Every structure is written in C-alpha cells, then in structure tokens.
Amino acid sequence: MPQITNARGYPIGAMSRETGVNIETIRYYERIELMPKPDRTAGGNRQYTHDHLKRLAFIKRSRELGFGIEEIRAMLTMVDQDSVTCGEVHAMTTEHLDSVKEKIRHLKKLERALTGMAAECAKGDVPDCPIIETLFEACNPDRNKTAR
Amino acid sequence: MPQITNARGYPIGAMSRETGVNIETIRYYERIELMPKPDRTAGGNRQYTHDHLKRLAFIKRSRELGFGIEEIRAMLTMVDQDSVTCGEVHAMTTEHLDSVKEKIRHLKKLERALTGMAAECAKGDVPDCPIIETLFEACNPDRNKTAR
DNA sequence: GTACCGTCTGTAGCGACTACAGATGAAAGG
DNA sequence: CCTTTCATCTGTAGTCGCTACAGACGGTAC
C-alpha cells in the first residue's frame, strides 16, 4: 500500500484557509512542536496531510475555548499515545472551566466599579473629574496597618 | 523656600510596601516614563517624594481596574498638564467598560461550551472521550463555503 | 569592622502570537 | 521558454506588562 491518499497534500495557505489559523501561527506551532514537521516539496514548501489538518483544527478549536498551548499539547500527546482517559480530560476541562469562571467573577467586579465611577461623572468640560479623584484615592483597607 | 518637606523621602522598598507595586515594576514604570525619575542619594539609591507615592497609587488602582498602560499614561498626562476634562475621562472609562463587558460576554460563551462538554463526559477510565471528539469536530458553520 | 539587608544595573524570559524583510518556489499565460 | 504574480520560505524582532534573575554596591545597626 505505498499509495498516497491526498494527491499532493495541502500547502500552508490551504491549511490556513481551512482552519482560520494564520500562516505564521501554523509555522509557530511547528517550531514549538505542537504540529509535526510536514513533508516538503522538491522546492522546500510544506505539504500537509489530512491528519495535519485535523490536528490543526483541534488546536484551533481548543484555543478558541481558551485552553493554553501546554494543555493542548498534553491532550494531543494523550491522543498520539492512544492513552486518552476520559477522567483526565474531564479534569483538565473542569479545571479550565474554573479558571474561566474566576475570570468572569473578576471582570464583573471591574464592571461594577467602572459603572459606578462612570455614573458619578457629569462628563462635561469640567476640569474636576470624580473619576480621576477616585483613582487618586487609595482604597486599600489594610494600608493603615502597613503605613507607619 | 528651599526647604524639603519629606525628611529623606521614600526608598523604593517603602514605595513598594505602601502601594503593593513590585519593586521591579516600579523601576519598569520609570523606564517607560510612566513615573518620573526620582532624586538619588549620594550612593545612587532612589528617593521618592509623596507626590511620587500618589502617582504610583493612581497607577496601581488604574491597573487593578484593567486600564492599559497607555490609557493610564494619557490620563496622567492630562493631570500633569492640568488639562483634565471630565468628558474625555468619562469617554475613556466607558470605552474601557465596554471592552470589559465584551470580555465577559466572550468568557460566558466559553463557560457555556465548556460546561456542556464536561457534562457529556462520563469521566471514567474510558478511552473514548466525548470532549476530545468535540474538539476534533470542526464546528465552524462557514467551513463548507470555503472548502472546495 | 562586619553582618546583613536593601538597592543598583542590565538582560532575558513569559504566552501566544504577529509583523516584517528579503529571498525563493510554483503555476498560469503568452 | 519566459515573464508575471502570487505563495511560501527563513529568520528575527516586536507586542503587553511585567517578572526573575545575576552580580555588584549602598546603608545601617551592633
């Protein structure tokens, strides 16, 4: 079976178009060994297979969901070694989910603070701005303890 | 009035303790000219004034609220030039607030997707993982259009 | 004097790309 | 075969906002 399935494979531009991943980013993924090195044409251009495409799509989707490169690498390593266990993957997912929830909590705090500040402001041509004043006020409750 | 108000000024460590800003970060702010260069002792150590302290606290508070360095620089430049107008500051604040809201929206989308994926998963020792399968499925609706 | 901390400069690293510059490769039309 | 035009190549440096060293000096208390 020395037969090639995909006539000539995908050049990098096709990979980029199919997945929405920037060409430079694809090369970057190769450099950091997240994507395996593809074959080259006689002239030295990369030629990807359908497996490369699937892998890149996996990476894209995972990145969109906010997984970090090392988390993705860990998942792909499991896939490569056929050692995927649902439990491990679930743990990684919920851990990541927790960090997303944490970020949401943090951003909501900022949202409340900023909304409050914006509401204070008459937003005219006035030079005395309550927003600036708020920012100049240190509002850390344990500052008193540290100050001597 | 060649009289110095603050006996000997604050060394950088005191600035750090008072504001909670890392020493290295304070020096970084000086390098990028967000903080002005302070006087030095005979030996070359930095000596900050109370004004420096106020400014650093402003920066800290603004960073905590998620403002970028360049936004903070813009606000401080207005303060320095006594050209603060409430309208401008309000505009910057609401712009930033919008970007915070946008981030929250985005993270909530991730949260929903991840929660759904985690729920699919039996999380046992099984090698067939619905999470991995979902990640391998391209689910971009306009992929069909591009693919030829 | 000496112990010991604080501070100094300068540089390199993080994560995840992105943006060039300058040189080839590939394919289509004449 | 030649030209044009696009695609792709390598390599390096920049982004943001710090953080982490290394190795040398400053300042103060005993």
Side-chain angles (χ1 to χ4, degrees):
Chain A
M1 35 37 186
Q3 187 158 3
I4 294 147
T5 319
N6 292 296
R8 247 175 301 165
Y10 311 88
I12 199 165
M15 292 285 281
S16 177
R17 250 174 285 121
E18 292 293 313
T19 59
V21 177
N22 200 317
I23 289 179
E24 270 101 337
T25 306
I26 298 174
R27 286 196 286 251
Y28 165 73
Y29 288 158
E30 183 181 328
R31 216 165 49 243
I32 64 168
E33 295 180 280
L34 197 59
M35 287 290 289
K37 285 181 202 286
D39 286 348
R40 300 291 183 124
T41 61
N45 285 16
R46 288 171 180 81
Q47 291 276 240
Y48 292 98
T49 66
H50 188 69
D51 277 352
H52 284 112
L53 184 57
K54 270 181 62 188
R55 191 184 183 91
L56 186 57
F58 180 98
I59 296 169
K60 178 77 194 308
R61 181 109 183 84
S62 305
R63 286 293 299 130
E64 281 174 355
L65 285 166
F67 285 102
I69 295 286
E70 291 314 312
E71 291 170 301
I72 298 171
R73 192 195 297 283
M75 289 195 283
L76 283 172
T77 302
M78 288 193 283
V79 172
D80 291 343
Q81 298 175 347
D82 248 327
S83 65
V84 175
T85 62
C86 223
E88 251 180 295
V89 176
H90 183 89
M92 286 181 64
T93 306
T94 50
E95 199 183 326
H96 176 52
L97 179 53
D98 285 348
S99 89
V100 169
K101 284 178 178 166
E102 180 61 40
K103 274 180 197 152
I104 292 172
R105 262 196 299 282
H106 181 230
L107 286 172
K108 283 201 168 173
K109 254 173 68 184
L110 298 197
E111 188 190 13
R112 277 195 297 278
L114 289 165
T115 304
M117 282 165 62
E120 293 286 298
C121 186
K123 63 181 176 176
D125 249 348
V126 206
D128 252 336
C129 182
I131 295 176
I132 296 284
E133 269 155 46
T134 306
L135 288 171
F136 266 118
E137 274 160 33
C139 64
N140 198 330
D142 57 16
R143 187 65 36 77
N144 327 3
K145 289 171 202 160
T146 329
R148 232 170 326 117
Chain B
M1 48 288 281
Q3 186 157 5
I4 294 146
T5 320
N6 293 295
R8 247 175 301 167
Y10 311 89
I12 198 166
M15 291 284 281
S16 176
R17 251 173 285 121
E18 292 293 314
T19 59
V21 177
N22 199 317
I23 289 179
E24 270 101 337
T25 305
I26 298 174
R27 287 196 285 251
Y28 166 71
Y29 288 158
E30 183 180 329
R31 214 164 49 243
I32 63 169
E33 294 179 282
L34 196 59
M35 286 290 289
K37 285 181 201 286
D39 286 347
R40 301 289 183 124
T41 61
N45 286 15
R46 288 171 180 81
Q47 290 276 241
Y48 292 97
T49 65
H50 188 69
D51 277 352
H52 285 111
L53 184 57
K54 270 181 63 189
R55 191 184 184 92
L56 186 57
F58 180 98
I59 296 168
K60 177 78 193 308
R61 181 108 183 85
S62 304
R63 286 293 299 131
E64 280 173 355
L65 286 166
F67 285 103
I69 295 284
E70 291 314 314
E71 291 170 300
I72 298 171
R73 192 195 297 282
M75 290 196 282
L76 283 171
T77 302
M78 287 193 282
V79 172
D80 290 345
Q81 298 175 348
D82 250 327
S83 65
V84 175
T85 62
C86 224
E88 250 180 296
V89 175
H90 182 90
M92 286 181 65
T93 306
T94 50
E95 199 183 326
H96 176 51
L97 180 53
D98 286 348
S99 90
V100 169
K101 283 177 177 165
E102 181 61 40
K103 275 180 195 151
I104 292 172
R105 262 196 299 282
H106 181 231
L107 286 172
K108 283 201 169 174
K109 255 173 67 183
L110 298 196
E111 187 190 15
R112 276 194 299 277
L114 289 166
T115 304
M117 282 165 62
E120 294 286 297
C121 186
K123 65 183 176 176
D125 249 348
V126 206
D128 251 335
C129 182
I131 294 176
I132 295 284
E133 269 155 45
T134 306
L135 288 171
F136 266 119
E137 275 159 31
C139 65
N140 198 329
D142 58 14
R143 186 66 35 78
N144 327 4
K145 288 171 201 159
T146 330
R148 232 171 325 119

